[in-house]
Amino acid sequence: MGNELSGPAKKAAGGALRRSGDPLNVLGYPVVHEKLFLPPTGKPHRFTICRCWMSLRFPLCDNTHQRLQKVGVNVGPVMLEIKSAPTNVGANYFGHGASAGPTNLGAGGDRLAAAAGGLFAAGLAGAAHLSGVV
């Protein structure tokens, strides 16, 4: 049903394009359109989808709805923007090639470096406290 391709573009009806209660699909377009959208790698993809059923490029909009709006029909297109997926950030996210968890200096054989760093930090904090900075 929705897998068939749209037929050739047909001419839009002249005069008053639509009255209240008239069917929208007067050009005989397929009711269902399917399109697979893949996430873009660069700039987002933008599409304008027709909702008035009068576009000659249906399902894409060609601004035919502007003529409908002039005769009092309140209709407009759907603006669709497809962006690339957001990048995960946070303390628990480890991307491709990253380690499976935080590193522990004491477990890797650099226990002396870890101890020296701890002593330096404690000495710096004590000096700041005694000098009245903190």
Side-chain angles (χ1 to χ4, degrees):
M1 176 178 185
N3 295 337
E4 299 93 25
L5 295 175
S6 297
K10 301 170 180 109
K11 293 183 181 179
L17 295 176
R18 182 177 178 269
R19 291 185 180 82
S20 178
D22 287 346
L24 293 174
N25 188 5
V26 296
L27 298 178
Y29 292 126
V31 177
V32 177
H33 289 271
E34 296 178 11
K35 181 169 178 148
L36 178 64
F37 293 104
L38 299 175
T41 55
K43 295 191 322 187
H45 296 306
R46 293 183 178 158
F47 299 96
T48 308
I49 308 298
C50 175
R51 290 192 314 156
C52 72
W53 293 82
M54 293 292 180
S55 172
L56 298 177
R57 298 179 356 171
F58 193 82
L60 300 177
C61 178
D62 67 353
N63 291 327
T64 304
H65 64 274
Q66 291 176 349
R67 293 188 344 201
L68 290 169
Q69 290 171 346
K70 288 180 182 176
V71 297
V73 178
N74 187 15
V75 69
V78 173
M79 307 297 280
L80 179 66
E81 180 177 70
I82 300 174
K83 297 179 180 180
S84 58
T87 304
N88 291 329
V89 294
N92 293 331
Y93 175 73
F94 302 102
H96 298 292
S99 65
T103 60
N104 186 355
L105 290 175
D110 290 331
R111 292 176 193 246
L112 183 61
L119 286 173
F120 178 75
L124 188 62
H129 179 69
L130 291 176
S131 66
V133 175
V134 178

